[in-house]
Structure formats: structure tokens, C-alpha cells
Amino acid sequence: MLLLAVPAADIRQTADIPPLFGAAMNGRLFQIFKLLMLGALVIYGGALLQSGWPRWLGLTTIILSGLMLGAFSFFGDGPPEMLFVVTLIVGIAALRRGLRRESHRQPASIHGG
């Protein structure tokens, strides 16, 4: 067993954010990325409405993406994790739909000739 002892006086905490990280997260390019991604998700929700997917999924995608697009446009910033909420919901619905189809699939019958 290896034991490493570090005196508490030698531990230094800092909240310094590296300049490149701060510029990337709050820069114009990231703002443009957020707006384009949310706009694309609104269009994706429209495509879900016109396909065979459940109607609630398309409406949820459009409403959540539209609300976040409006909030990011109005406030100019927000937590970047919010961008993945809609894709998480769509992914869970796709997984559940696939599992449901697998459970309803009938085994192929073999006909003797």
C-alpha cells in the first residue's frame, strides 16, 4: 500500500479559467453554433412530425428547441448542456421504439416444401 501525505498548506485552489477556454465558450463562434444547432433541431422536429414517429416527439422537439432558441437569443447565453436535452429525449424515444418493435416481431415460420 502506498500512502502519499500532502500538507494542507501546500494545496492551492484556483478558479482561473484559461483564456482560450473562456473565449471559446463565450465567443461569437459558439453563440452562432448554439443558434444554428437549435434552429436545426426545430427543423428536425418538423421532420419527425411528418414521419411515422410519435406526434408528441416531434412537438416536444419543436417546442423545447424553440424555447431554448428564444432564451439563448434573448439572454445571449446559457448553459451549453441545455443543447443536448432535446437530442437526449429523441435518443431515448428511438431506443424505446426499437425495443418495442423487437418485442413485437414474430419469429419467421419455416414452410416445408
Side-chain angles (χ1 to χ4, degrees):
M1 183 168 142
L2 179 65
L3 181 64
L4 180 64
V6 178
D10 293 340
I11 298 175
R12 186 177 141 229
Q13 292 182 346
T14 180
D16 294 335
I17 297 174
L20 182 61
F21 180 77
M25 291 303 286
N26 296 322
R28 280 282 183 222
L29 287 177
F30 190 66
Q31 299 295 329
I32 292 169
F33 164 75
K34 285 193 290 190
L35 295 176
L36 288 175
M37 182 177 174
L38 289 169
L41 284 172
V42 169
I43 295 170
Y44 187 68
L48 286 172
L49 277 177
Q50 295 188 7
S51 67
W53 287 83
R55 186 168 174 78
W56 68 265
L57 185 61
L59 289 174
T60 302
T61 303
I62 291 172
I63 292 169
L64 283 179
S65 300
L67 286 173
M68 285 188 281
L69 183 61
F72 282 142
S73 298
F74 183 73
F75 295 113
D77 199 12
E81 296 83 15
M82 290 301 295
L83 297 173
F84 304 111
V85 169
V86 175
T87 53
L88 178 66
I89 292 170
V90 172
I92 291 170
L95 181 64
R96 291 189 62 179
R97 184 177 186 191
L99 291 174
R100 200 172 358 193
R101 284 192 173 181
E102 283 292 321
S103 68
H104 293 307
R105 187 175 291 169
Q106 298 294 327
S109 61
I110 300 174
H111 297 288

